[in-house]
Amino acid sequence: GEQVEQRPPHLSVREGDSAVITCTYTDPNSYYFFWYKQEPGASLQLLMKVFSSTEINEGQGFTVLLNKKDKRLSLNLTAAHPGDSAAYFCAVSATEGADRLTFGKGTQLIIQP
Amino acid sequence: GPKVLQIPSHQIIDMGQMVTLNCDPVSNHLYFYWYKQILGQQMEFLVNFYNGKVMEKSKLFKDQFSVERPDGSYFTLKIQPTALEDSAVYFCASSHLRWGPNTGQLYFGEGSKLTVL
């Protein structure tokens, strides 16, 4: 079955710097990709969903890159601020309309002032 | 925004006992899910549920596990009997439509931490 590896498990950057989190997956049929943010004591919040036909997606303060050839998905926070401190999870879905997500282990991001 | 509520947030029980984890999904949602996260590991799919039936379950969904949503009340995950390896955080999620790229968001609860002694 699908396996998703997420790195790094922990990341500490200074405010204003960029932060990059990467996931690699194994199933070439993976079709939908997601990034979730989880603040302490809160539920997972969807940051972005990416379809296989889209390679670069921009959100507020971050960019998601999808490289299907390398089976790699990355989240790039462009100018980190304290509110970005949280756990981040990537998730992959293999088929259209699939309910079943395969998650990465998560990255604990700390933004230092 | 819409919230999925999970009760209890933390429960400690002895091995062999029964436990029921409760999920109050978003009010107009029809599809419900449970995921399991062991400490330090990734979140893993357990089961999804629609119209009173399990649609799909993973190998983690052991025979000791059951789910139901009687009369539109809580969506529950019951484990009977519990085992040590059931210690984990269990996340409930719900969606209005069968979740896909164009059908909106999967909403997660904050998790129920289960400790089996």
Side-chain angles (χ1 to χ4, degrees):
Chain A
E2 172 83 91
Q3 292 183 31
V4 177
E5 185 171 338
Q6 182 172 344
R7 293 189 184 276
H10 302 277
L11 181 60
S12 179
V13 301
R14 292 190 181 278
E15 187 174 355
D17 286 351
S18 64
V20 180
I21 304 170
T22 301
C23 287
T24 55
Y25 58 94
T26 57
D27 188 345
N29 294 319
S30 296
Y31 199 75
Y32 298 113
F33 309 86
F34 310 88
W35 283 102
Y36 285 90
K37 177 182 180 181
Q38 185 180 31
E39 297 181 21
S43 58
L44 280 79
Q45 291 184 309
L46 181 66
L47 280 180
M48 183 168 283
K49 53 187 177 184
V50 180
F51 306 156
S52 63
S53 59
T54 309
E55 293 187 344
I56 301 175
N57 289 265
E58 294 187 358
Q60 266 193 322
F62 60 88
T63 302
V64 170
L65 301 178
L66 173 63
N67 183 325
K68 288 180 63 184
K69 177 174 175 285
D70 293 341
K71 295 197 282 294
R72 185 187 305 271
L73 176 73
S74 65
L75 172 68
N76 186 340
L77 283 81
T78 47
H81 58 86
D84 292 330
S85 292
Y88 291 82
F89 297 89
C90 64
V92 177
S93 175
T95 59
E96 185 171 356
D99 304 78
R100 188 167 176 163
L101 297 179
T102 302
F103 281 86
K105 287 188 178 182
T107 296
Q108 191 65 48
L109 176 64
I110 296 173
I111 310 301
Q112 297 176 339
Chain B
K3 284 188 180 292
V4 174
L5 301 177
Q6 290 189 236
I7 302 166
S9 56
H10 191 181
Q11 183 150 5
I12 302 172
I13 60 171
D14 291 323
M15 182 177 63
Q17 286 188 312
M18 180 193 76
V19 67
T20 300
L21 305 180
N22 299 289
C23 173
D24 187 9
V26 179
S27 61
N28 63 342
H29 284 188
L30 301 174
Y31 292 84
F32 313 109
Y33 312 81
W34 284 104
Y35 282 79
K36 175 183 179 181
Q37 185 180 32
I38 295 174
L39 184 65
Q41 303 295 318
Q42 63 263 63
M43 202 174 310
E44 294 186 275
F45 171 84
L46 282 178
V47 67
N48 54 23
F49 187 87
Y50 168 73
N51 197 25
K53 296 176 186 174
V54 170
M55 292 194 299
E56 188 183 5
K57 58 186 180 181
S58 73
K59 60 184 179 182
L60 296 179
F61 195 79
K62 305 181 297 184
D63 291 343
Q64 296 88 333
F65 287 33
S66 62
V67 290
E68 65 176 353
R69 194 185 186 216
D71 301 323
S73 61
Y74 287 146
F75 174 52
T76 62
L77 173 65
K78 183 184 292 186
I79 309 174
Q80 181 178 26
T82 51
L84 294 177
E85 61 264 28
D86 296 331
S87 293
V89 180
Y90 291 84
F91 290 90
C92 174
S94 72
S95 66
H96 177 56
L97 299 172
R98 182 157 193 181
W99 189 64
N102 299 315
T103 56
Q105 188 170 338
L106 195 65
Y107 290 86
F108 283 87
E110 295 179 9
S112 292
K113 183 177 181 180
L114 175 65
T115 302
V116 181
L117 302 177

